[in-house]
């Protein structure tokens, strides 16, 4: 008999953890495991602000899949369509070739993309912090603004180069603003003709509180830390419009600005919409055991799935956090193994362990296991958690060494070549317009006229 084929889509926390556990639980004779991913690393998203600010190198937060996964076959590409009736996934490889991957069990973890709203100019002029390339580009771009401001012909141009706007008061936006503000504070000292007081960072969010998940006390503590550093925080405010050199806020302010960083939430991967299956606010509806109703052999979890939060009674949905994605990956691996062997499946149940928010230096606010902390103790907890969550020794070593090296010798504030001649935008880093329509998917998976894809059947 042929081995069942397990196809994992996505190499984020959810998919990678699942594949890693499956390798440990299933022998090479039990199943063939394949992973569809456009990159050959697991990106440790919580540390992207450290990369954007130059505290860590990109390699430190890109955990090598070939170190983690010993026998999983990596398919270098992205899934752009799914036909569950024929158990087929259309994959666009990184060289543009389309292939069809068949499966017996599908592990669907395509993750999320930056949530955009119908705000004029955002899709064209804003950049997110969801990918390694974005973080590296942001660092080059921010330093480039200082370089250009130092030789600006007018005060107006200098002012616009030295104003930066971050949208999103969750922990991702707050950490990004905190780390980048520290970057420019240190860098501007190397520019003798620039007045550091002209550098202005703005953090805006439509919510009335900063990081509401942490509670009032810690949220206010974080706000106090940021304000003391000179970062301007505006709550109950959002962006009304933006251009290449201005950002207009909903309170009427028009800021001259060449930098708009967008971290206002995430949306499920557009891949989910190609399935035609029921969704909850765009996230695929799943059972507590992470199976998809009425789709045999399909498991879904992570940011793109509406997983019932049994720790809160089951009416709520698990938030799209790395903590839940990792643990859902472990549960999914056990359930896929159970399905392969004909055993009962178990429901996912995990009590949230809290949040850690690193504000740079010795400043942090954390709430591990519901215990509020701030300052150096919170920073130790935050960085300890990140080191523990990194999946290889080399990644942990590079990260710890990077933190130590940065604290001892600082930064040289160099640009490394990611800064293009033209400004980048969200769509340049997050490919949200590559997915197929239902008609195109069926044409490719069922051998219709004009089919462009090669078929890769399950391995024997």
């Amino acid at each position: 008999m042929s081995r069942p084929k397990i196809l994992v889509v996505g190499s984020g926390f959810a998919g990678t953890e699942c594949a890693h556990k499956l390798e440990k639980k299933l022998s090479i004779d039990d199943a063939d495991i394949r992973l569809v991913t456009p990159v050959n690393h697991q990106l440790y998203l919580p540390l992207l602000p450290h990369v954007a600010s130059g505290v860590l190198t990109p390699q430190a937060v890109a955990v090598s899949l070939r170190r983690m996964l010993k026998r999983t076959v990596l398919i270098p590409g992205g899934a752009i369509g799914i036909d569950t009736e024929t158990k087929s996934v259309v994959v666009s490889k990184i060289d543009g070739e389309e292939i069809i991957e068949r499966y017996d069990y599908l592990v669907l973890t395509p993750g999320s993309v930056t949530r955009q709203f119908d705000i004029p100019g955002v899709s064209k002029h804003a950049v997110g912090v969801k990918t390694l390339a974005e973080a590296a580009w942001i660092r080059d771009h921010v330093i480039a603004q200082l370089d250009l401001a130092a030789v600006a012909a007018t005060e107006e141009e200098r002012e616009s180069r030295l104003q930066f706007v971050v949208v999103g008061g969750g922990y991702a936006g707050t950490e990004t603003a905190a780390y980048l503000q520290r970057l420019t504070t240190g860098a501007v000292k190397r520019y003798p003709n620039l007045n550091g007081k002209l550098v202005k960072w703005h953090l805006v969010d439509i919510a009335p509180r900063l990081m509401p998940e942490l509670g009032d006390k810690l949220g206010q503590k974080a706000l106090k830390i940021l304000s003391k550093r000179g970062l301007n925080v505006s709550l109950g405010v959002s962006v009304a419009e933006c251009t290449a050199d201005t950002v207009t806020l909903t309170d009427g302010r028009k800021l001259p600005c060449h930098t708009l960083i967008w971290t206002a939430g995430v949306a499920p991967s557009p891949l989910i919409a190609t399935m035609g299956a029921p969704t909850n606010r765009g996230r695929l509806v799943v059972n507590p055991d992470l199976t998809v109703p009425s789709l045999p052999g399909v498991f879904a979890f992570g940011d793109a799935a509406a997983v019932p939060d049994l720790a809160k009674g089951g009416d709520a949905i698990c938030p799209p956090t790395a903590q839940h994605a990792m643990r859902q990956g472990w549960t999914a691996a056990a359930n896929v193994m159970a399905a392969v062997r004909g055993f009962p499946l178990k429901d996912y149940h995990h009590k949230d362990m809290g949040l850690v928010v690193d504000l740079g230096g010795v400043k942090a606010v954390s709430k591990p296991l519901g215990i509020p902390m701030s300052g150096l103790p919170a920073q130790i907890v935050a960085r300890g958690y990140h080191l523990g969550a990194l999946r290889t020794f080399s990644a942990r070593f590079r990260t710890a060494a990077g933190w130590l090296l940065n604290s001892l010798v600082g930064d040289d504030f160099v640009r490394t070549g990611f800064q293009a001649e033209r400004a980048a935008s969200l769509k340049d880093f997050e490919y949200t317009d590559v997915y197929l329509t239902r008609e195109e998917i069926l044409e490719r998976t069922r051998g219709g006229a004009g089919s462009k894809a090669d078929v890769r059947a399950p391995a024997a």
Side-chain angles (χ1 to χ4, degrees):
M1 295 179 62
S2 63
R3 293 173 297 171
K5 180 176 179 181
I6 302 170
L7 185 65
V8 182
V9 174
S11 62
F13 289 106
T16 304
E17 291 296 325
C18 182
H20 188 236
K21 292 292 185 183
L22 283 171
E23 282 196 347
K24 292 184 176 182
K25 293 175 180 292
L26 296 173
S27 72
I28 194 170
D29 296 323
D30 287 329
D32 175 34
I33 308 171
R34 297 166 76 85
L35 173 62
V36 178
T37 172
V39 295
N40 62 357
H41 62 263
Q42 179 202 59
L43 177 59
Y44 192 77
L45 278 166
L47 292 181
L48 278 185
H50 297 227
V51 175
S53 63
V55 172
L56 294 176
T57 65
Q59 190 178 6
V61 304
V63 182
S64 170
L65 291 179
R66 298 196 182 277
R67 280 185 183 268
M68 284 184 66
L69 305 175
K70 306 303 182 184
R71 60 183 178 86
T72 297
V73 176
L74 302 184
I75 302 169
I80 58 175
I82 298 173
D83 182 1
T84 55
E85 289 188 28
T86 60
K87 293 194 171 184
S88 308
V89 176
V90 185
V91 177
S92 176
K93 296 200 302 183
I94 57 175
D95 63 357
E97 178 191 4
E98 284 186 10
I99 60 174
I100 302 296
E101 284 287 333
R102 306 293 188 187
Y103 65 84
D104 296 301
Y105 298 95
L106 177 63
V107 176
L108 193 54
T109 62
S112 58
V113 297
T114 300
R115 182 182 295 279
Q116 298 182 46
F117 300 91
D118 190 20
I119 300 173
V122 167
S123 62
K124 184 176 181 181
H125 301 295
V127 65
V129 194
K130 282 283 290 178
T131 67
L132 201 57
E134 282 176 312
W137 187 91
I138 286 171
R139 173 177 164 80
D140 272 15
H141 172 78
V142 169
I143 295 174
Q145 300 315 298
L146 299 180
D147 289 343
L148 292 168
V151 295
T154 65
E155 287 300 319
E156 289 77 12
E157 181 189 354
R158 181 174 290 109
E159 180 185 8
S160 66
R161 296 287 182 189
L162 297 179
Q163 289 212 75
F164 307 87
V165 177
V166 178
V167 179
Y171 61 89
T174 302
E175 286 189 339
T176 298
Y179 264 87
L180 289 175
Q181 195 265 347
R182 281 175 55 85
L183 166 68
T184 55
T185 298
V188 77
K189 297 174 183 177
R190 309 291 179 92
Y191 295 79
N193 60 333
L194 283 183
N195 182 352
K197 294 182 179 180
L198 295 177
V199 181
K200 297 180 180 178
W201 280 88
H202 302 268
L203 175 62
V204 303
D205 195 294
I206 194 65
R209 292 185 297 167
L210 192 67
M211 294 182 292
E213 304 93 337
L214 286 173
D216 275 338
K217 186 176 180 180
L218 286 181
Q220 287 296 321
K221 182 70 175 180
L223 179 60
K224 184 178 179 180
I225 291 171
L226 298 178
S227 298
K228 188 175 181 179
R229 288 181 182 172
L231 199 149
N232 303 292
V233 180
S234 300
L235 300 175
V237 177
S238 188
V239 173
E241 181 183 7
C242 66
T243 67
D245 56 8
T246 63
V247 174
T248 303
L249 303 180
T250 53
D251 62 4
R253 283 179 291 165
K254 188 173 185 178
L255 305 175
C257 172
H258 286 263
T259 308
L260 176 60
I261 301 172
W262 195 265
T263 68
V266 296
S269 167
L271 178 65
I272 298 302
T274 73
M275 299 177 63
T279 59
N280 180 342
R281 296 185 179 181
R283 301 171 73 180
L284 190 63
V285 172
V286 299
N287 297 316
D289 60 7
L290 308 180
T291 58
V292 181
S294 303
L295 296 181
V298 180
F299 296 78
F301 47 99
D303 290 6
V307 179
D309 193 344
L310 299 185
K312 296 181 180 178
D315 293 330
I317 299 300
C318 293
T321 64
Q323 181 183 152
H324 276 291
M326 292 172 67
R327 286 160 178 81
Q328 287 167 10
W330 303 343
T331 299
N335 282 346
V336 172
M337 180 190 70
V340 169
R341 295 176 174 172
F343 296 156
L345 278 56
K346 296 182 179 180
D347 291 344
Y348 171 74
H349 187 287
H350 171 67
K351 186 176 181 180
D352 199 301
M353 297 176 65
L355 290 172
V356 293
V357 182
D358 184 345
L359 299 176
V362 297
K363 300 296 184 181
V365 289
S366 301
K367 199 174 182 180
L369 301 175
I371 304 171
M373 305 174 68
S374 62
L376 183 58
Q379 182 66 290
I380 293 172
V381 169
R383 295 199 170 184
Y385 174 82
H386 292 317
L387 288 177
L390 288 165
R391 276 291 168 256
T392 64
F393 173 78
S394 61
R396 294 184 187 117
F397 183 84
R398 286 193 179 94
T399 298
W403 284 334
L404 177 61
L405 186 64
N406 185 265
S407 67
L408 292 176
V409 302
D411 197 338
D412 286 327
F413 311 109
V414 295
R415 288 182 278 120
T416 55
F418 277 91
Q419 175 64 53
E421 292 182 3
R422 66 176 180 83
S425 63
L426 286 166
K427 64 181 180 180
D428 292 317
F429 296 106
E430 299 181 42
Y431 305 105
T432 56
D433 56 355
V434 299
Y435 298 93
L436 303 177
T437 64
R438 288 301 299 167
E439 291 75 15
E440 291 171 329
I441 293 170
L442 298 182
E443 178 183 286
R444 285 158 170 77
T445 60
R446 304 186 187 188
S451 176
K452 300 179 181 179
D454 293 332
V455 177
R456 306 294 170 91

